[in-house]
Amino acid sequence: MTSYERVAAALAHRQPDRVPVCPILCGVSRKLTGASYEAWSTDAETCAAGFLKAAEEFDVDCLVTLIDLSIECEAWGQPLIFPENEAAHPDYANAVIKDIADYRKIQPVDYRTGRRMMMHIDVCRRLAAEKKGELPIVAFVFGPLGTLSMLRGQQDMYMDLYDAPDEVKRATWSVAETLADYADALCDAGVDAIMWDTLFASGSIMSKSMWREMEAAPMAMLAQRVRDRGCVNMIHNCGQRIYFDAQIDAVHPAAISFLYPPDDCADFAECKRKYGDSVTLIGAVTPANAVVGTDEEWDRQCVEQIEAMAAGGGFILATGCEYPANADFARAQRMIDIAKRRGVYPL
């Protein structure tokens, strides 16, 4: 089977030849081309070259374009900081939203004015030109609440949800309208799926009822927009106690990428029993373990995830978030080898 066929089978809840594998090699791929982190995350040619080099050197089954979480917020004028060896992040000393009144500034914008959004679209276009039909290309997009939090600061926005929920909700919809057009452009660029980061839909940040009130409806709109374009919706959420049920109700994703078991499951095996027929499960190896612990501990976790969630198909072995950007590649290769050795169907 090709990687494309293998992932397609997993998304259809069929057993491929083996478990698909994706250690989510993103920022770390810059090391394969000798690029600086800033160059990799701001120049489309450099960024795409890193992803393509990772696909060439490692037998990954899909490409996920998680560049950083500041791609979208820059379109609203958010100043960013580009550390030497870390992902870009907002300069919160110069946040666009400084107080509740500033939420009124957040109106829909033309994504084409967002330098980094356009760069990401260009990256996806380059990847599609090289790998379309061979490797699934999954465009990573921060959801509306997440993007809004990058303009305010997560903690401050969380307090605003209590003090001025209507202002936050209105701004969330403005962001979502922009993301809908942006998703259209990504689909036009040739991606196979959009992976929406819905970090706030987890018990580590807010209650399930609050998420349903604040982001479920805009996420439902975005998901329908992607479906209308013939692309696949996926969810990424590496928060603790992720709300599978609420997000399935709103988004109807084909797959969920996650790090911790859902809030209504005791462990990954229960997650498989409860949700394995509804969504393809992607994960959930702890990324930090690529740089801590022993090889044997890393291997054991990879095997445990296969044993807990791979039966019958509908599973992709992956890190629960981006592979550490400053790690070496040894444990990514070990994960790939384990999928090939221990993930052959029938298990």
Side-chain angles (χ1 to χ4, degrees):
M1 272 184 156
T2 67
S3 291
Y4 194 91
E5 293 167 340
R6 190 172 294 121
V7 172
L11 293 175
H13 298 271
R14 300 192 308 268
Q15 292 186 161
D17 55 345
R18 64 162 172 82
V19 169
V21 60
C22 178
I24 313 187
L25 303 175
C26 299
V28 69
S29 72
R30 77 194 190 282
K31 296 164 66 175
L32 299 173
T33 63
S36 69
Y37 213 129
E38 183 172 357
W40 179 84
S41 63
T42 56
D43 179 74
E45 183 177 3
T46 303
C47 186
F51 281 118
L52 292 170
K53 190 68 172 176
E56 176 187 326
E57 295 201 10
F58 301 94
D59 198 7
V60 297
D61 283 311
C62 66
L63 294 173
V64 179
T65 63
L66 200 178
I67 299 171
D68 58 61
L69 300 182
S70 303
I71 295 291
E72 296 79 14
C73 68
E74 184 260 354
W76 282 269
Q78 177 58 52
L80 303 177
I81 294 172
F82 290 88
E84 182 177 355
N85 287 306
E86 297 176 13
H89 60 81
D91 178 4
Y92 287 119
N94 293 292
V96 168
I97 303 173
K98 295 180 172 60
D99 53 43
I100 288 173
D102 285 341
Y103 281 100
R104 288 283 164 176
K105 296 178 181 178
I106 308 304
Q107 301 294 331
V109 299
D110 186 341
Y111 73 89
R112 290 168 292 190
T113 66
R115 179 177 57 89
R116 302 197 76 215
M117 281 188 182
M118 293 302 292
M119 174 261 187
H120 182 211
I121 293 166
D122 194 5
V123 169
C124 291
R125 187 178 296 112
R126 291 168 184 269
L127 297 181
E130 295 288 334
K131 295 294 183 181
K132 184 71 173 178
E134 178 184 341
L135 278 176
I137 301 160
V138 181
F140 191 96
V141 179
F142 211 4
L145 263 185
T147 298
L148 193 62
S149 75
M150 303 301 269
L151 301 168
R152 173 61 163 153
Q154 187 178 114
Q155 188 61 41
D156 286 333
M157 192 188 80
Y158 188 72
M159 297 306 297
D160 297 341
L161 286 165
Y162 290 95
D163 296 335
D166 291 342
E167 292 296 316
V168 178
K169 184 185 289 188
R170 187 205 59 77
T172 300
W173 272 104
S174 292
V175 171
E177 288 180 41
T178 301
L179 296 182
D181 292 338
Y182 176 45
D184 275 345
L186 289 166
C187 292
D188 287 341
V191 304
D192 300 290
I194 306 287
M195 182 176 281
W196 302 100
D197 186 333
T198 57
L199 180 62
F200 285 77
S202 60
S204 54
I205 298 183
M206 63 172 53
S207 70
K208 188 178 298 186
S209 61
M210 178 177 281
W211 184 80
R212 281 180 162 141
E213 173 67 22
M214 300 305 299
E215 194 175 38
M219 279 306 310
M221 179 274 289
L222 290 168
Q224 187 59 52
R225 188 76 163 255
V226 171
R227 277 191 294 272
D228 289 345
R229 297 304 309 275
C231 282
V232 172
N233 283 292
M234 298 179 177
I235 290 291
H236 171 77
N237 191 313
C238 55
Q240 295 186 35
R241 303 188 306 283
I242 173 180
Y243 303 137
F244 266 51
D245 53 355
Q247 294 188 91
I248 290 170
D249 288 345
V251 178
H252 305 290
I256 298 180
S257 162
F258 63 113
L259 178 57
Y260 300 101
D263 69 311
D264 54 358
C265 296
D267 52 29
F268 294 111
E270 184 178 358
C271 176
K272 176 69 173 183
R273 291 192 298 271
K274 189 165 187 174
Y275 294 108
D277 292 335
S278 302
V279 294
T280 293
L281 306 173
I282 304 176
V285 176
T286 303
N289 287 0
V291 292
V292 300
T294 66
D295 286 344
E296 290 72 23
E297 289 168 339
W298 172 265
D299 294 355
R300 187 181 311 117
Q301 190 176 17
C302 292
V303 171
E304 286 173 351
Q305 301 295 22
I306 291 172
E307 290 177 345
M309 295 186 283
F315 173 69
I316 298 172
L317 179 65
T319 44
C321 195
E322 179 183 4
Y323 191 85
N326 295 308
D328 65 35
F329 293 94
R331 290 185 180 169
Q333 185 61 59
R334 295 181 77 90
M335 175 184 283
I336 293 164
D337 292 343
I338 287 168
K340 291 180 177 181
R341 186 175 69 252
R342 299 293 297 269
V344 175
Y345 286 105
L347 298 177

